[in-house]
Amino acid sequence: MLLLPSLRGARQGGAISPSEATQLANQRQAVFVDVRPAEQYAGGHIAQSRNVPAAELEQKAAGLPKNRPLIVVCGNGRDAAKAAARLKAQGFGEVVSLAGGLAGWVQAGMPISGTPPTR
């Protein structure tokens, strides 16, 4: 069962579904890494995710655990794959992206945290 997300992720270019991401987080303590800008993160994000904006990824990656799987999240799924490749290049072993990004997460009916900024 634990191999299922890894196998599916490998077939889909490293992207896993929201339900597979939840399983990976629950069973293996995977860390969600949200690579959107801080303003977007503040407007809504996956609970317990860490905000490491893509523009700062190389500088802040040292603060991420190398002994746990990382699930990279962006707005729609496209930027996360690029960020996941950058993390793998920095020596992170198990890195996948969230298919559909935060939009896919919300569409799947999964909860988010955060408050939209007031204008």
Side-chain angles (χ1 to χ4, degrees), residues 10-60:
R11 275 185 281 148
Q12 298 171 6
I16 61 173
S17 72
S19 62
E20 291 168 330
T22 301
Q23 286 179 341
L24 193 58
N26 290 340
Q27 295 172 355
R28 305 219 12 242
Q29 291 76 48
V31 175
F32 286 95
V33 180
D34 193 319
V35 296
R36 297 175 301 142
E39 313 79 56
Q40 291 179 16
Y41 179 83
H45 57 271
I46 297 170
Q48 309 297 319
S49 64
R50 297 188 190 182
N51 184 223
V52 182
E56 304 169 21
L57 195 58
E58 278 74 16
Q59 297 83 5
K60 295 189 175 182

Side-chain angles (χ1 to χ4, degrees), residues 44-100:
H45 57 271
I46 297 170
Q48 309 297 319
S49 64
R50 297 188 190 182
N51 184 223
V52 182
E56 304 169 21
L57 195 58
E58 278 74 16
Q59 297 83 5
K60 295 189 175 182
L64 298 172
K66 287 197 174 187
N67 61 342
R68 292 166 57 187
L70 300 179
I71 303 167
V72 183
V73 181
C74 66
N76 57 23
R78 288 186 294 251
D79 294 334
K82 294 174 192 170
R86 289 166 53 196
L87 287 169
K88 286 180 185 177
Q90 290 187 35
F92 290 89
E94 195 171 352
V95 185
V96 294
S97 60
L98 181 63

